[in-house]
Amino acid sequence: MAQWNQLQQLETRYLEQLYHLYSDSFPMELRQFLAPWIESQDWAYAANKESHATLVFHNLLGEIDQQYSRFLQENNVLYQHNLRRIKQHLQSKYLEKPMEIARIVARCLWEEQRLLQTATTAQQDGQGAHPTGTVVTEKQQILEHNLQDIRKRVQDMEQKMKMLENLQDDFDFNYKTLKSAGELSQDLNGNSQAAATRQKMAQLEQMLSALDQLRRQIVTEMAGLLSAMDFVQKNLTDEELADWKRRQQIACIGGPPNICLDRLETWITSLAESQLQIRQQIKKLEELQQKVSYKGDPIIQHRPALEEKIVNLFRNLMKSAFVVERQPCMPMHPDRPLVIKTGVQFTNKVRLLVKFPELNYQLKIKVCIDNCSICRSRKFNILGTNTKVMNMEESNNGSLSAEFKHLTLREQRCGNGGRTNSDASLIVTEELHLITFETEVYHQGLKIDLETHSLPVVVISNICQMPNAWASILWYNMLTNHPKNVNFFTKPPVATWDQVAEILSWQFSSTTKRGLTIEQLTTLAEKLLGERKCACPNVWACENMAGKGFSFWVWLDNIIDLVKKYILALWNEGYIMGFISKERERAILSPKPPGTFLLRFSESSKEGGITFTWVEKDINGKTQIQSVEPYTKQQLSSMSFAEIIMGYKIMDATNILVSPLVYLFPEIPKEEAFGRFCRPEAQPEPEFPESGSTQPYLKTKFICVTPCPSVFMDFPDSELLGNAFPGTNSGNTSDLFPMSPRTLDSIMHSEAEANPGQLESLTLDMELSSDVASPTSM
């Protein structure tokens, strides 16, 4: 079954997450219209190859034209209009940047697959597989029972109100009748009617007593019902809604996906409806009291307090129900929410969890940043469409919401260069800001001011600040659930390593299929803390790592980017050991046979690099551990890492090319592990030259070649580690040659004779822009 069709069959909570994947950058309508074609394309390859991305983009425009023709034949004016608008938008935004749309589509398709896997796993495992699943289910069952009880009691109260009104009407009629008749008989018959009048008066007193008793019963039951509503409301707002907000925080920093709000909206709407019914019943009591009242009337005594309590409950419920459903996020950086760059569009979505149709198109939302109660060293203006009306058409499930898609921030310029004197101790990436949403509700005679805030955001002016800004977002949302603690970094709390380890693993598991292992996390702990394993003060900050010219977060961010864009499949298979110390690397490789190798990340490359380390024997039979110079994103954009591994060669002293890589640690044959990730070579049709014509071109093969490491065993280890191997020319793009394997030996032989004692490192790569691969340690 096609992926898009499978997605349509998921539960509502997963569909809500699916809706969040799409925006104007890649509209869901386009995904729906062209689902089979979109799923048939290799978007991941297009995202890394401009020529292929250009081809796919033009094919996409062609598919849109064909779909437009179908809608034209069906006379579907709305779909024609939407499709034409989508095409114009794509052409204006991506015609010169086809790789960008390819990355967006590839990301969406990958997130869809991840969502399907999550839903399938949840269905197979069941809630019982999770320790908290049973507790949560029991709480929800109790809450559902309490809400049903409230609805039943409200309906029972409605019946009693009708009984009260009927009893009061009977009493009022009899009272007025007796009063009128009594006055008339007094005039005509004197005292002869006094006995009958006293009997009727006694009956009337009995009716009044029953009326008073029913009024007292209703007032007492209303007070109890309001107390029950207060209890359920606290459960909803202080527990369920607070839990959802905490889960939203965790989801923002890569934790488990947050569940949707539909169930919570159903509960809150149900409670709000019951509260309005009770308020109408209290108003009805006032009307009845104005018609008939007497000494000791319970309505006069208790109705004002009941009215005040129900109004306060409803106001507080409405205020709590106004939430930020989708936190501020730049569409081009969906995995880095809450970090906003000035001048770049970002999106938010707010939602009212009280689903009243009469409020549709009635609430005008205004958005602002850092209201007057917050002092910040930098001030910003919000540009774009900063007011919007809530409507039920804004979302796919009919909820009352408003999505702001075209907001940007611009920094205000002050006399001292744009900064005030407040919070001068905070650096830009530790300065937190709040985006506020405001509106007013007028409903059934009540005016309610609603206000909600985003989670604190970090505003940057340069994309190079992203890693450290993201570190601040991680640290804040890991350690606090206070929604408006913008002064958090004036005295930030200290985290334990276990807390930091969890969010580090989330950074990988949220964008790949695999988090970090205990061994990988141990390596990172040693890198960050050394012997201090109990706490991690200031690891979010931008201080450079010891001996490095960059921070831990810059290094980690670039590694994550490297994984996502270039080696995702290998990482998901578990083939990349990634984070491992040199001591541990030597310890596990030394007992292995020659040709065993592992893959790890470079510790010295700021931009993110990956290398492989292998075992070999020198001429004396001594075990040697060798590493190739790390491959960077620039090189991996030209040739896949799997193809580099499969084609990597070293050249021995006799100019013979051999592969030092045989088994991926612990003992997986190289071809078994990486062969399926290499694109098969195209098989052109054989050429048959005519008589007298030139011979067809010889085929070329692109491989990476390094001089045999054993040649340099006499050099000190420090020289090898610090300067690579003598004679190498790291980063020299002139050493990249496509050549025929037939001529490789003769060329190298000539080079050796012309320059005895000096062997050049050759990288035979797919693109002339790639760097040479030279053996070195990181």
Side-chain angles (χ1 to χ4, degrees):
M1 183 184 296
Q3 180 171 304
W4 187 249
N5 293 335
Q6 295 180 54
L7 290 164
Q8 309 311 303
Q9 300 176 14
L10 295 179
E11 297 178 14
T12 305
R13 56 176 176 153
Y14 297 113
L15 289 177
E16 186 69 17
Q17 297 177 44
L18 176 66
Y19 302 148
H20 291 173
L21 294 180
Y22 293 93
S23 63
D24 286 346
S25 299
F26 180 37
M28 181 178 279
E29 292 168 292
L30 188 61
R31 178 70 176 95
Q32 171 76 28
F33 295 152
L34 305 180
W37 182 85
I38 287 175
E39 293 176 22
S40 68
Q41 305 302 305
D42 189 351
W43 296 98
Y45 180 55
N48 298 307
K49 195 75 172 177
E50 187 169 6
S51 59
H52 188 67
T54 302
L55 176 63
V56 172
F57 181 71
H58 285 288
N59 290 341
L60 172 62
L61 298 180
E63 290 292 326
I64 292 176
D65 290 337
Q66 292 184 21
Q67 187 63 44
Y68 182 86
S69 300
R70 298 188 192 102
F71 291 148
L72 191 63
Q73 295 175 0
E74 297 170 3
N75 200 25
N76 194 323
V77 179
L78 177 60
Y79 283 175
Q80 291 177 48
H81 168 75
N82 291 347
L83 207 54
R84 184 167 58 248
R85 175 179 53 81
I86 290 172
K87 181 181 179 182
Q88 292 172 349
H89 172 73
L90 294 178
Q91 285 178 315
S92 64
K93 191 169 184 178
Y94 302 116
L95 189 60
E96 302 298 328
K97 299 179 292 184
M99 293 175 66
E100 187 173 317
I101 182 63
R103 279 194 291 267
I104 293 173
V105 178
R107 169 76 180 181
C108 288
L109 293 176
W110 180 85
E111 290 286 358
E112 288 179 1
Q113 293 174 355
R114 185 165 169 261
L115 191 61
L116 282 172
Q117 291 175 349
T118 301
T120 303
T121 303
Q123 185 177 9
Q124 293 174 349
D125 296 345
Q127 289 183 329
H130 304 283
T132 60
T134 304
V135 177
V136 172
T137 301
E138 290 176 356
K139 285 175 59 179
Q140 291 176 350
Q141 288 177 347
I142 293 173
L143 187 56
E144 288 274 11
H145 173 77
N146 290 337
L147 284 169
Q148 290 175 3
D149 180 65
I150 285 176
R151 288 193 294 269
K152 183 179 182 303
R153 291 169 67 177
V154 169
Q155 294 304 317
D156 292 343
M157 187 64 65
E158 191 70 28
Q159 296 300 319
K160 290 182 179 180
M161 288 296 298
K162 292 179 180 179
M163 292 173 55
L164 178 62
E165 185 175 13
N166 292 334
L167 181 58
Q168 178 168 312
D169 288 344
D170 290 343
F171 171 80
D172 188 47
F173 174 78
N174 288 322
Y175 174 78
K176 291 179 179 178
T177 301
L178 178 61
K179 181 178 180 181
S180 175
E183 291 174 351
L184 184 58
S185 63
Q186 185 99 18
D187 293 338
L188 297 178
N189 302 313
N191 296 327
S192 62
Q193 298 295 324
T197 300
R198 284 195 297 271
Q199 183 179 2
K200 291 180 179 180
M201 284 296 296
Q203 293 176 353
L204 198 61
E205 287 177 359
Q206 290 178 356
M207 293 181 68
L208 179 59
S209 176
L211 179 64
D212 179 70
Q213 184 178 358
L214 186 54
R215 281 188 173 186
R216 292 184 184 279
Q217 180 184 355
I218 287 177
V219 167
T220 301
E221 290 185 5
M222 275 190 176
L225 183 52
L226 294 185
S227 296
M229 287 182 174
D230 191 12
F231 175 76
V232 171
Q233 184 164 316
K234 286 180 179 178
N235 282 341
L236 280 173
T237 59
D238 297 350
E239 295 183 21
E240 293 296 329
L241 187 56
D243 287 348
W244 176 83
K245 289 181 177 180
R246 182 57 183 163
R247 291 195 301 272
Q248 186 187 51
Q249 277 189 278
I250 297 302
C252 281
I253 58 176
N258 188 21
I259 64 172
C260 70
L261 283 166
D262 290 353
R263 177 175 293 180
L264 200 52
E265 179 185 73
T266 300
W267 291 337
I268 293 178
T269 301
S270 174
L271 182 59
E273 290 172 344
S274 296
Q275 289 178 351
L276 289 180
Q277 283 182 271
I278 286 293
R279 184 165 181 259
Q280 292 299 320
Q281 293 169 2
I282 293 174
K283 285 186 175 182
K284 186 66 176 180
L285 285 180
E286 183 179 16
E287 294 176 5
L288 295 177
Q289 175 255 320
Q290 289 174 352
K291 292 179 180 179
V292 175
S293 186
Y294 48 88
K295 185 178 180 180
D297 189 346
I299 296 179
I300 295 177
Q301 296 176 3
H302 302 289
R303 190 203 60 78
L306 295 175
E307 172 74 17
E308 181 181 5
K309 186 167 185 177
I310 193 61
V311 168
N312 288 336
L313 284 175
F314 185 70
R315 284 182 184 275
N316 293 334
L317 185 62
M318 292 290 288
K319 290 180 179 180
S320 300
F322 189 40
V323 299
V324 178
E325 182 179 9
R326 190 184 307 157
Q327 293 293 334
C329 181
M330 295 184 290
M332 294 306 299
H333 299 276
D335 54 345
R336 295 292 185 265
L338 303 174
V339 179
I340 301 174
K341 182 180 179 298
T342 54
V344 176
Q345 286 189 354
F346 65 96
T347 65
N348 319 259
K349 187 177 182 181
V350 292
R351 180 170 173 178
L352 185 63
L353 300 179
V354 177
K355 193 173 179 180
F356 288 168
E358 57 267 30
L359 295 180
N360 198 21
Y361 289 100
Q362 297 300 313
L363 307 183
K364 185 177 182 180
I365 311 297
K366 180 182 179 182
V367 57
C368 59
I369 183 170
D370 292 341
N371 56 31
C372 57
S373 63
I374 299 176
C375 292
R376 277 283 160 261
S377 59
R378 296 181 298 158
K379 299 291 184 180
F380 298 93
N381 293 325
I382 288 188
L383 307 181
T385 307
N386 60 357
T387 59
K388 200 163 186 182
V389 177
M390 277 188 143
N391 64 85
M392 293 182 173
E393 289 73 34
E394 191 78 18
S395 60
N396 294 284
N397 59 354
S399 62
L400 196 60
S401 58
E403 185 172 6
F404 295 84
K405 299 181 180 180
H406 307 291
L407 299 176
T408 56
L409 295 181
R410 183 174 65 186
E411 186 173 354
Q412 298 178 10
R413 294 300 175 186
C414 304
N416 60 347
R419 297 179 68 87
T420 64
N421 293 325
S422 62
D423 292 334
S425 61
L426 293 178
I427 61 175
V428 168
T429 55
E430 293 177 354
E431 190 178 276
L432 301 177
H433 303 265
L434 287 181
I435 296 178
T436 305
F437 303 87
E438 302 171 344
T439 189
E440 295 177 343
V441 176
Y442 296 90
H443 192 61
Q444 295 191 4
L446 292 176
K447 175 181 176 294
I448 306 174
D449 294 323
L450 301 183
E451 181 179 287
T452 190
H453 304 271
S454 70
L455 290 170
V457 301
V458 174
V459 183
I460 60 177
S461 56
N462 194 301
I463 202 65
C464 69
Q465 297 170 320
M466 174 70 79
N468 291 320
W470 180 240
S472 294
I473 295 299
L474 293 176
W475 204 260
Y476 177 91
N477 290 286
M478 172 179 60
L479 294 179
T480 183
N481 57 3
H482 193 292
K484 297 191 293 184
N485 187 11
V486 294
N487 296 317
F488 177 84
F489 285 108
T490 57
K491 191 177 180 181
V494 174
T496 64
W497 168 248
D498 288 342
Q499 290 174 306
V500 177
E502 186 174 38
I503 66 167
L504 289 178
S505 184
W506 285 346
Q507 303 315 295
F508 287 84
S509 62
S510 63
T511 54
T512 73
K513 297 178 182 178
R514 183 179 293 271
L516 299 180
T517 65
I518 297 297
E519 186 171 0
Q520 290 168 331
L521 289 169
T522 300
T523 302
L524 290 177
E526 294 171 353
K527 189 175 185 62
L528 275 172
L529 308 176
E531 299 300 325
R532 298 176 292 111
K533 297 294 181 65
C534 58
C536 304
N538 299 326
V539 300
W540 80 87
C542 62
E543 287 86 356
N544 291 340
M545 293 187 294
K548 309 295 182 184
F550 46 88
S551 73
F552 168 82
W553 296 103
V554 170
W555 173 73
L556 183 69
D557 197 69
N558 281 311
I559 286 179
I560 294 172
D561 188 62
L562 178 78
V563 170
K564 290 190 298 185
K565 292 181 179 178
Y566 301 102
I567 52 176
L568 180 61
L570 302 183
W571 174 265
N572 287 338
E573 291 292 336
Y575 292 159
I576 299 175
M577 195 162 291
F579 303 104
I580 182 172
S581 65
K582 292 183 176 66
E583 294 77 11
R584 177 63 178 162
E585 178 185 63
R586 180 172 291 274
I588 65 175
L589 284 180
S590 295
K592 293 295 181 179
T596 305
F597 66 100
L598 58 79
L599 312 179
R600 62 180 174 86
F601 299 124
S602 168
E603 296 179 2
S604 58
S605 174
K606 174 183 177 182
E607 300 303 323
I610 186 168
T611 183
F612 40 82
T613 303
W614 68 90
V615 182
E616 69 175 26
K617 300 287 185 179
D618 64 10
I619 56 177
N620 298 319
K622 183 180 179 181
T623 299
Q624 300 290 335
I625 306 297
Q626 304 293 345
S627 295
V628 73
E629 182 178 348
Y631 290 88
T632 63
K633 299 173 188 177
Q634 181 183 8
Q635 294 166 302
L636 296 178
S637 65
S638 301
M639 179 183 286
S640 75
F641 196 43
E643 290 173 328
I644 289 174
I645 293 172
M646 292 296 293
Y648 183 75
K649 300 289 189 297
I650 59 175
M651 185 172 293
D652 64 12
T654 60
N655 291 344
I656 296 177
L657 293 177
V658 295
S659 174
L661 310 179
V662 182
Y663 298 104
L664 177 66
F665 182 88
E667 50 188 18
I668 306 174
K670 176 178 66 175
E671 291 75 12
E672 178 183 330
F674 302 102
R676 57 197 172 99
F677 297 109
C678 298
R679 291 192 300 271
E681 296 183 5
Q683 299 295 331
E685 295 182 2
E687 298 183 16
F688 300 98
E690 297 179 1
S691 178
S693 64
T694 60
Q695 293 296 321
Y697 290 118
L698 296 176
K699 296 179 182 179
T700 61
K701 184 176 183 180
F702 298 89
I703 59 176
C704 298
V705 180
T706 297
C708 179
S710 59
V711 175
F712 308 113
M713 287 305 162
D714 294 334
F715 287 86
D717 289 343
S718 59
E719 183 175 352
L720 294 176
L721 293 175
N723 303 311
F725 286 98
T728 63
N729 190 11
S730 302
N732 186 351
T733 58
S734 64
D735 287 336
L736 309 178
F737 301 107
M739 66 176 64
S740 170
R742 183 184 302 174
T743 61
L744 181 60
D745 286 341
S746 60
I747 292 177
M748 290 305 301
H749 183 70
S750 300
E751 290 276 350
E753 289 182 349
N755 301 284
Q758 183 178 2
L759 292 178
E760 293 287 337
S761 170
L762 300 182
T763 297
L764 311 181
D765 211 336
M766 291 294 295
E767 295 288 339
L768 296 183
S769 62
S770 299
D771 292 337
V772 67
S774 300
T776 184
S777 295
M778 290 188 298

